Amino acid sequence: MSVGSGLERPQVVSHVQQGLSYTVFDCKWVPRSARLLCLGSAARGTGLIQLYELHGARLQLLREIEKPKPIKCGTFGATSLQQRYLATGDFDGNLNIWNLEAPEIPVYSVKGHKEIINSIDGVGGLGIGEGAPEIVTGSRDGTVKVWDPRQKDTPVANMEPVQGESKRDCWTVAFGNAYNQEERVVCAGYDNGDIKLFDLKTMSLRWETNIKNGVCSVEFDRKDINMNKLVATSLEGKFHVFDMRTQHPTKGFASVSEKAQKSTIWQVRHLPQNRDIFMTSGGSGSLHLWKYEYPAQRSKKDSEGSEMGVAGSVNLLQNVTLSTQPISSLDWSPDKKGLCVCGAFDQTVRVLIVTKLNKI
C-alpha cells in the first residue's frame, strides 16, 4: 500500500453535521436532488424515515415519517427517475416500497423474510443497467431473495441453504453484471466469511469463497457493466478486491487484500463517477479513500493453459476520523462528484465534500 503524494491528495471536508434523536442505520441521497434520507430506529422501537434538504451549510428537515418497525436499509436502485420510490427492509423482515410524496401506505409490501432484513440493493432503475427492475434482500434468516416490484408476494429467486447446510446470517447483498437484458448476478456476504455469487440467468451458484471473517459489505464497482471488480469488507479491518473479469476453473477470481485498520469495516462505496475510487467506513469512526491500480496484464495462462486473473494493488488516497463511534452507512451523491453522506452510531449524519477527485 502506498499513500498518494501530498499536494494532489484529495481532502475529506466535513461540510454539515446534524445531530439526530435516534439510531441511524442507513443514509441515501435522493437521485437528481439536493435531498437525502436517514433511515433508522427511534428509542421507542419504531422505524423512522427522515427527509433532509441541503441548503448551503445546513440541513433542513422536510419530512419525518414514522413506521411500526425499525428500518435497517434502503435503496433507490429499482425505481425510475420519475418516481424515485424508496425500497426499505425492516427489523421484521418486511420489504416495503414508499412513495415519499405520499408515504402513509407503501406502494408495494411483502413479508419477505422471517427475520430482520440486513441488506438491500436495487437494479434496473434510475436509467442504470439493462433489464427488469429488481430488488435483492439478505436476511438473518439465512436467505437471499430477489423481488420484481411488478410481481406481488413471491420472489423471482430465492437463494437459501441446501438441506443439511446450517443457515448463516446474511449481512450484505449487491447486484452486478447487469450489462444486457439477460445477464445479472447477486453477490452475498455472510457472518462466517462466506461470499457467494449467484447467477440469476442460469439460477445457479457461480462461485463461492471464504474470507475467514464476517463479511460486512460487498459492492461491485459498477452494477451495469460486464463484471469488473468486487470489494468485500470484513470484521477484522480487512478488505478484499476481486478482479471479476477472469474466472479460473478451480482458483476462481484473483484478489488483493488490504488491512485498513484494526476495527470492523462496515461499508464500501465506489465513487459513481470513477469506478476505481472507493471509500470504506470503519468501526473506529474513520473513513478511508482508496484507488485501485490495475496490473500491466489482467490475466495470464496457467500451466494447463487456463486463463487466470491477476490482481492489482490498492493505494490509500486519504483517511479521516470523524466520530468516536462506528460509521455504519455511506452514500456518494450520484449527481455531484465528491459529495457524500454518512451516518454514525453517535446519532449524527454528516455531509462531506471530497476535493480534487478529478486530479487523480
Side-chain angles (χ1 to χ4, degrees):
M1 174 180 77
S2 61
V3 176
S5 63
L7 286 173
E8 293 303 314
R9 283 178 73 190
Q11 300 302 317
V12 182
V13 181
S14 186
H15 181 59
V16 189
Q17 280 194 190
Q18 178 79 34
L20 306 169
S21 59
Y22 61 95
T23 304
V24 60
F25 290 119
D26 206 357
C27 294
K28 285 280 173 284
W29 288 101
V30 180
R32 301 272 168 96
S33 79
R35 296 177 176 190
L36 60 91
L37 289 170
C38 297
L39 314 174
S41 169
R44 60 174 169 272
T46 54
L48 280 178
I49 302 173
Q50 280 191 329
L51 178 63
Y52 286 96
E53 189 157 40
L54 189 57
H55 282 280
R58 67 185 183 89
L59 282 174
Q60 182 186 350
L61 179 63
L62 299 182
R63 184 165 228 167
E64 182 170 298
I65 304 154
E66 195 167 1
K67 293 296 166 191
K69 297 293 174 191
I71 297 170
K72 179 66 171 63
C73 48
T75 181
F76 284 104
T79 186
S80 68
L81 280 168
Q82 290 73 37
Q83 290 181 324
R84 293 186 289 188
Y85 289 170
L86 173 75
T88 59
D90 73 16
F91 275 46
D92 228 23
N94 300 300
L95 164 63
N96 291 308
I97 300 178
W98 309 97
N99 174 359
L100 295 168
E101 304 296 319
E104 293 73 31
I105 298 166
V107 292
Y108 176 96
S109 183
V110 64
K111 170 80 170 152
H113 294 269
K114 295 187 187 79
E115 296 181 67
I116 181 175
I117 294 175
N118 287 318
S119 180
I120 192 167
D121 194 23
V123 73
L126 306 178
I128 299 169
E130 298 272 348
E134 285 180 335
I135 292 161
V136 61
T137 51
S139 166
R140 186 185 289 160
D141 68 12
T143 65
V144 173
K145 296 180 182 179
V146 178
W147 310 87
D148 183 332
R150 303 166 305 179
Q151 185 178 312
K152 201 83 173 94
D153 298 335
T154 48
V156 290
N158 182 4
M159 288 73 83
E160 53 191 346
V162 291
Q163 229 167 352
E165 197 180 36
S166 64
K167 77 176 175 79
R168 305 302 323 191
D169 192 345
C170 177
W171 283 352
T172 175
V173 288
F175 278 115
N177 211 38
Y179 64 91
N180 66 22
Q181 294 283 337
E182 289 83 42
E183 296 289 341
R184 193 167 281 184
V185 299
V186 163
C187 185
Y190 299 83
D191 65 344
N192 64 339
D194 281 350
I195 296 174
K196 295 179 190 281
L197 187 70
F198 302 100
D199 190 322
L200 297 180
K201 183 183 174 186
T202 59
M203 286 295 178
S204 61
L205 180 66
R206 182 162 166 178
W207 167 74
E208 60 183 326
T209 190
N210 185 288
I211 61 168
K212 310 279 192 289
N213 269 304
V215 185
C216 301
S217 181
V218 292
E219 190 183 56
F220 289 94
D221 56 357
R222 285 286 176 278
K223 51 181 119 174
D224 60 326
I225 58 171
N226 202 326
M227 278 194 301
N228 187 52
K229 298 194 305 295
L230 174 81
V231 176
T233 75
S234 76
L235 283 179
E236 297 285 319
K238 213 176 196 188
F239 68 86
H240 302 252
V241 187
F242 295 90
D243 186 310
M244 305 298 287
R245 276 289 154 92
T246 311
Q247 185 173 0
H248 186 269
T250 55
K251 293 192 175 81
F253 299 101
S255 71
V256 58
S257 68
E258 190 65 67
K259 193 153 173 98
Q261 56 201 69
K262 289 190 178 71
S263 59
T264 298
I265 305 181
W266 282 73
Q267 286 280 354
V268 57
R269 289 288 176 260
H270 289 83
L271 185 68
Q273 299 84 1
N274 182 344
R275 68 185 186 201
D276 299 326
I277 293 172
F278 59 96
M279 184 111 87
T280 56
S281 75
S284 57
S286 62
L287 294 173
H288 287 69
L289 186 70
W290 307 88
K291 181 164 194 277
Y292 184 82
E293 304 286 350
Y294 294 96
Q297 282 182 304
R298 287 183 70 175
S299 67
K300 61 181 182 186
K301 283 193 165 42
D302 68 5
S303 53
E304 261 88 75
S306 296
E307 285 287 327
M308 60 190 290
V310 178
S313 59
V314 179
N315 289 339
L316 178 65
L317 297 175
Q318 191 54 269
N319 63 303
V320 59
T321 300
L322 296 171
S323 169
T324 54
Q325 297 291 318
I327 296 173
S328 57
S329 63
L330 186 62
D331 195 36
W332 291 103
S333 164
D335 308 303
K336 191 140 179 54
K337 189 175 183 178
L339 191 62
C340 156
V341 61
C342 64
F345 286 151
D346 60 1
Q347 298 195 335
T348 306
V349 61
R350 293 169 174 86
V351 176
L352 312 169
I353 296 168
V354 183
T355 64
K356 298 185 183 163
L357 285 172
N358 31 356
K359 300 269 174 66
I360 299 162

